[in-house]
Amino acid sequence: MAKNTYETLCILDSNHYARDPGGVSKQIEDLITEAGGKVEVNRLWMEQKLAYPIDGHQKGTYWLTYFEMEGSEVPKLDRAFHLCEPVLRQMTLKLDPRLVEPILANARGATPVVSKDAAAEADDSGEASTDSDSDSDS
């Protein structure tokens, strides 16, 4: 089976993360590698007040992880995230193969380089946004 690239956004318990940021990030990375994945980028996104309380928590730390994994192993990883104490919520998405390199470059802090072929494919498939969509000023 082919490996896919996934993005997982975790909302972490801010208190856990503040006490041991390195340990919590290592714990997330270990969950992914134990499930058979290979972490590409693992980083803090932001910390903010939650829209509604989750298990009594008013504030959450958002952690973004990009990794490569067999699709059949994702349910096992999902279960591991549910059992992980610092993780309040998580969402995993499969990335479109055409967008993997620019997204990973952006996550690493580099300027993504999009080839003309990839840009043309995105235009053809209707995934590119246009500025003409917002004509509400007229």
Side-chain angles (χ1 to χ4, degrees):
M1 194 176 225
K3 289 193 175 196
N4 299 309
T5 303
Y6 295 92
E7 170 187 80
T8 294
L9 177 65
C10 295
I11 301 176
L12 304 173
D13 176 353
S14 290
N15 295 327
H16 250 108
Y17 184 77
R19 280 190 301 254
D20 187 16
V24 173
S25 64
K26 178 82 171 110
Q27 190 175 5
I28 291 172
E29 194 170 331
D30 289 346
L31 290 175
I32 293 168
T33 54
E34 287 169 11
K38 177 185 169 223
V39 176
E40 299 288 334
V41 181
N42 199 12
R43 70 182 184 94
L44 175 68
W45 185 30
M46 73 168 115
E47 182 175 0
Q48 73 177 29
K49 184 178 184 290
L50 300 171
Y52 57 88
I54 300 174
D55 297 332
H57 298 278
Q58 299 293 327
K59 193 166 69 165
T61 301
Y62 290 74
W63 190 262
L64 198 54
T65 306
Y66 295 95
F67 58 95
E68 216 175 70
M69 177 182 277
E70 297 267 340
S72 61
E73 299 299 318
V74 173
K76 184 164 75 169
L77 178 63
D78 185 54
R79 179 69 178 148
F81 277 130
H82 279 78
L83 296 174
C84 183
E85 188 177 349
V87 178
L88 302 176
R89 293 282 191 277
Q90 64 86 22
M91 179 174 64
T92 301
L93 302 172
K94 179 182 169 188
L95 296 178
D96 185 323
R98 297 174 296 178
L99 301 175
V100 169
E101 286 307 315
I103 288 174
L104 290 179
N106 184 41
R108 290 182 181 115
T111 305
V113 177
V114 179
S115 70
K116 290 180 184 178
D117 294 338
E121 283 182 27
D123 287 342
D124 292 341
S125 67
E127 292 178 10
S129 63
T130 61
D131 293 339
S132 63
D133 293 341
S134 58
D135 292 331
S136 60
D137 295 331
S138 311

